[in-house]
Amino acid sequence: LSWNSGSNVRGYSVDRSFDDVTYTRIAEHLIGTSFLDSDARGKSAFYRIIAVNGEGEGVSDSVYSKFVTGDTTPPTHAPTPDGTPGNGGPQTATYNKELGVPSCAIGVSCDTLLLLDGRHKLGPEPNQPNTLDNCSDGTGGNYHSDESLDAIFISSDSGEDITEGSTVTVKADAWCWDNGRYDFIYFFHASDATDPDWNLTGRIQCTGGGKQ
């Protein structure tokens, strides 16, 4: 399956039906604009493509039919550091008590969803401050009026599991103050989550106020 990309989209979901009546969710958190449905090989099926952003799911694309053929061998996922097979696929972060931040199992992507929404006691963010180095949140301002980092989404550029040395794309949902002219989002990386030595990757200026 393939479809056109949308604006401000964090991912896509796919629903399938064999009778165009009852639909079943078969994929979520897809990064790209294509999907291989191995369970429908040699069959006629109907599909709905649903775009997802920070606010939730949008209206589904028009239902269309597809006869699925071709090689449906699933990709081989890279092993985890201890040599066991990777979990593969998109991963949703959960709170890691040892690190004090959200983390994901091995997979092709990691999405914090609502685990970072807000800062300090401004907003619903659980487990504040959600920082590896015990850096505290600023306490001033109001939720979704003043600045906050609300979500992080990391995806593998190769489509394989994210492991050490992988090239990835990082997307951040931030709330910027006023018209955004004074606000920047800084991206850092470290090679060891248990003892981070931060390296600046780059920064992006907010292009406006509100959600960016």
Side-chain angles (χ1 to χ4, degrees):
L1 311 173
S2 62
W3 55 89
N4 295 326
S5 61
S7 59
N8 300 318
V9 174
R10 291 177 58 185
Y12 299 91
S13 298
V14 179
D15 294 346
R16 180 190 64 206
S17 173
F18 291 117
D19 58 9
D20 196 18
V21 176
T22 302
Y23 280 81
T24 302
R25 179 65 48 88
I26 60 172
E28 293 181 305
H29 308 298
L30 296 178
I31 305 165
T33 55
S34 63
F35 175 72
L36 181 62
D37 184 9
S38 58
D39 293 334
R41 185 178 182 181
K43 302 176 183 178
S44 292
F46 298 85
Y47 297 90
R48 295 188 300 211
I49 312 301
I50 301 96
V52 182
N53 60 22
E55 303 299 326
E57 293 190 352
V59 179
S60 63
D61 194 3
S62 300
V63 176
Y64 65 94
S65 61
K66 180 80 173 180
F67 184 78
V68 182
T69 60
D71 183 12
T72 59
T73 303
T76 300
H77 294 288
T80 59
D82 64 1
T84 58
N87 293 325
Q91 302 294 318
T92 299
T94 56
Y95 182 66
N96 186 316
K97 293 182 179 179
E98 293 183 0
L99 295 176
V101 296
S103 67
C104 283
I106 297 293
V108 298
S109 65
C110 179
D111 195 340
T112 63
L113 296 178
L114 298 177
L115 291 181
L116 301 178
D117 191 12
R119 65 174 163 83
H120 189 57
K121 297 180 180 180
L122 310 176
E125 177 188 15
N127 308 304
Q128 303 108 344
N130 283 305
T131 55
L132 283 173
D133 50 10
N134 296 316
C135 179
S136 60
D137 284 333
T139 60
N142 298 288
Y143 174 59
H144 280 181
S145 173
D146 294 279
E147 299 88 343
S148 60
L149 177 64
D150 292 344
I152 298 175
F153 180 75
I154 305 172
S155 60
S156 167
D157 288 355
S158 68
E160 296 295 322
D161 284 350
I162 298 172
T163 57
E164 184 176 359
S166 296
T167 302
V168 300
T169 296
V170 180
K171 297 181 180 180
D173 285 351
W175 196 274
C176 301
W177 177 73
D178 195 31
N179 59 9
R181 63 182 298 184
Y182 301 110
D183 289 338
F184 295 83
I185 304 171
Y186 288 79
F187 292 86
F188 294 83
H189 74 276
S191 59
D192 185 354
T194 62
D195 185 22
D197 181 16
W198 296 111
N199 296 279
L200 177 63
T201 301
R203 73 173 190 173
I204 299 175
Q205 183 173 14
C206 294
T207 58
K211 183 179 178 181
Q212 300 289 309

